[in-house]
Amino acid sequence: MKKLLSLTFTLFLLTTTLKAQLPDQIQVIDPPFWWTEMPVTELQLQLYGDDLGLYRASTDYPGVKITKQYAVDSPNYLFIYFDISDEAQAGKMEIVLTHHNKEIVFDYELKTRESTEGRNQGFDPSDVIYLMMPDRFANGDLSNDSIEGMLESADRSDPQRRQGGDIQGVIDNLDYIQNLGMTAIWFTPMFENDMSPEYGAYHGYAATDLYKVDRRYGTNELYKELVSKVQDRGMKVIMDMIHNHIGDKHWWMKDLPTNDWVFDYQEVGQTNHRGVVASDPYASNYDSTKLTDGWFVPEMPDLNQDNDLLADYLIQNTLWWIEYSGIDGIRMDTYVYPDKDYMARWAKEVLAAYPNFNIVGEAWVENVPAEAFWQFDQEGVDDGYQSHLPSLTDFQFAFAIREAFNEDFGWETGLSKLYYMLSQDFLYSDPMGNVIFLDNHDMSRYFEHIGKDEDHFKMAYAFLMTTRGIPQVYYGTELMMAHENRGGDDEAWRQTMPGGWPDDDRNVFTEEGRTDKENEIHDYITKLTQWRKDAIATHEGELVHFIPENNTYVYFRVHDEQTIMVAMNANENAVSLDRDRFAEILDEFELGLNVMSGNEINLSEDIGIEGNTALIWELE
């Protein structure tokens, strides 16, 4: 009996101690912890719990002082701002909340920063980015397909539902990605998306908690392990973020901090999806407001970044993920939809804190000027807007290359589309920083789009690997994937990778599991992508191109250490190219070495090229 009483008393003390550390009144603390010696000294702490807005905070922690604190429209939030000086040491910072004679005491952890070596590296034109949707890539942990209490479980019978891919599935197949020649991986968002099954939030763009990895993918710790494992291979990770909207099941939506935290759907409705409005000098207030304040879809409440507390929260969330996980870059979703001054502030503050970092913004607009508007140091912008954004998703590239091999050749059609697209690069402050692609998770797959023409597919990939910019390759491209595997709206181009699930009847991650045709294209893409890793001319070389003639297009990448020549012939029949037309470059060289076959050509003679072929030579 005495032992039982002793055990009971011990449990009572343990419970009391735990409650002192995590008081019942505090349901959410964002961010969950922070670090000393951060590149920014300000920390915003968002506390949520019953009537916390009535309390005021204090701390005696050395090197830390509270600079301001806010109660807001909801009585259940308290926002506390701290200044954390260089003198502050890692440890448990005791924070005391008081309201009349009530007191809440809890510890908040300040951690020691990890070494920056091999982390936060950025990405640039020397990289090739592999884009994947984790839910559709590989299922390495069947135990997290269904999580008790979450609204949706994996359902392989329905392509519009979650399929069960996860972080472990990616880790298991890192050899496959690296062997392709990819140097960076962009994952569509892995934030918690605890949305209703009928919505299909497997895509990750309807976040319900911005500080948590979705448990059906894994844990925050496993995500960090994934980043570390990728970086240990000399590769990089790009995190997909969304600051325009959240999911309607986000925990905020049950009790918004302020009345203007999100825009009122009944008042503004859905966005017009016309990104060009943001840069239109003649745009009406109606159209501008509709773009920025309207909800992306009814299930995605639009965040109001004009709210200073929310803006600080989002910026700090970004810094937290960069510091916690070590990611090398961010792809910001729907970049043109939020308040553009907020986006400029966000980019500026992130890059000031992490100077080696890189950010690519999704600017899905209809023309080159509207795209170029969003890049840093843009000249000729009447309103003086400075975005601070280094990189853009180059949709103009994607539009041009998707038309170039779907049209007959003409003055403005076919291969001419590539020439005209590139000829407008003077509008960009840094066209080399653009992320270029054939397709992505929001577009029909390229092979399907061009009518499953294998020769044109290879030509397009050769162009992607040799022209200016940072190439991005959508998962499955290496298999010349079309829309056969699974179908249904967007899911037609968001297939699962065969072999990524234990019950699949074949495994495309192995040579034996691929068809002969898949192995042929896999080998082509691997060889070309691996070659590009060391081809400095494709990273830094000046682009010199010649006006397309007779359904051919010739261009060079010229660098002090390497010059390459690319010749594209989209005719059915072979052609001979007049070498004298390219003499300004060819006169310096004698031979051209075909990077794929190893064959040499004599550069003093006219150049023959087979039909529907793109050839790449290193000039010697």
Side-chain angles (χ1 to χ4, degrees), residues 262-272 286 289-296 302:
V262 302
F263 292 105
D264 185 347
Y265 186 77
Q266 299 305 315
E267 181 179 331
V268 297
Q270 199 163 330
T271 182
N272 51 31
Y286 176 86
T289 300
K290 196 75 170 171
L291 171 67
T292 60
D293 299 1
W295 292 23
F296 198 78
D302 196 83

Side-chain angles (χ1 to χ4, degrees), residues 30-247:
D30 282 344
F33 51 82
W34 199 246
W35 299 266
T36 57
E37 299 183 348
M38 283 286 281
V40 294
T41 61
E42 185 174 79
L43 166 65
Q44 180 210 69
L45 209 60
Q46 181 195 79
L47 306 183
Y48 179 73
D50 291 344
D51 294 324
L52 286 183
L54 300 176
Y55 289 78
R56 288 298 172 264
S58 62
T59 184
D60 293 326
Y61 199 77
V64 178
K65 64 179 179 179
I66 294 175
T67 58
K68 50 192 174 181
Q69 47 192 308
Y70 299 97
V72 289
D73 296 330
S74 168
N76 301 318
Y77 289 86
L78 179 62
F79 290 85
I80 313 169
Y81 284 76
F82 298 86
D83 181 77
I84 303 176
S85 71
D86 291 341
E87 287 73 36
Q89 300 296 310
K92 299 292 181 68
M93 175 172 62
E94 183 179 87
I95 300 173
V96 180
L97 305 180
T98 57
H99 171 58
H100 296 315
N101 60 345
K102 298 178 182 178
E103 190 174 90
I104 303 173
V105 181
F106 67 98
D107 288 335
Y108 186 78
E109 185 174 10
L110 295 177
K111 295 176 177 284
T112 301
R113 295 183 70 193
E114 295 184 32
S115 169
T116 57
E117 185 176 356
R119 307 171 92 233
N120 316 136
Q121 305 166 86
F123 55 91
D124 57 44
S126 67
D127 289 305
V128 179
I129 301 168
Y130 191 70
L131 161 61
M132 73 164 71
M133 306 194 81
D135 179 64
R136 304 301 166 108
F137 190 68
N139 189 348
D141 183 359
L142 300 180
S143 69
N144 61 23
D145 289 359
S146 178
I147 300 292
E148 185 176 356
M150 299 197 80
L151 296 175
E152 182 183 10
S153 300
D155 181 0
R156 290 278 283 155
S157 68
D158 185 350
Q160 299 188 58
R161 293 282 300 276
R162 192 174 291 273
Q163 300 296 294
D166 50 35
I167 294 173
Q168 190 60 52
V170 177
I171 291 174
D172 293 345
N173 291 289
L174 287 177
D175 281 347
Y176 172 83
I177 299 169
Q178 186 173 28
N179 290 339
L180 283 171
M182 306 300 164
T183 65
I185 310 175
W186 155 24
F187 302 99
T188 53
M190 292 196 197
F191 302 117
E192 178 190 276
N193 273 231
D194 193 12
M195 298 285 286
S196 302
E198 59 271 15
Y199 176 64
Y202 65 85
H203 49 65
Y205 292 99
T208 56
D209 192 320
L210 291 171
Y211 277 99
K212 290 181 182 176
V213 166
D214 195 296
R215 286 173 288 166
R216 291 160 297 190
Y217 289 143
T219 63
N220 286 16
E221 292 76 17
L222 189 60
Y223 178 80
K224 182 178 180 181
E225 180 183 332
L226 167 63
V227 174
S228 180
K229 287 180 179 295
V230 172
Q231 292 170 340
D232 286 347
R233 295 168 175 264
M235 300 168 67
K236 304 169 183 179
V237 172
I238 300 170
M239 174 181 265
D240 207 329
M241 285 190 169
I242 322 96
H243 284 188
N244 179 65
H245 53 260
I246 53 175

Side-chain angles (χ1 to χ4, degrees), residues 39-40 42 311-312 315-316 319 343-354 359 388:
V40 294
E42 185 174 79
D312 290 345
I315 291 171
Q316 186 170 267
L319 300 179
M343 294 310 305
R345 177 194 163 196
W346 171 79
K348 182 179 181 180
E349 293 191 19
V350 168
L351 295 173
Y354 297 92
I359 301 168
H388 302 285

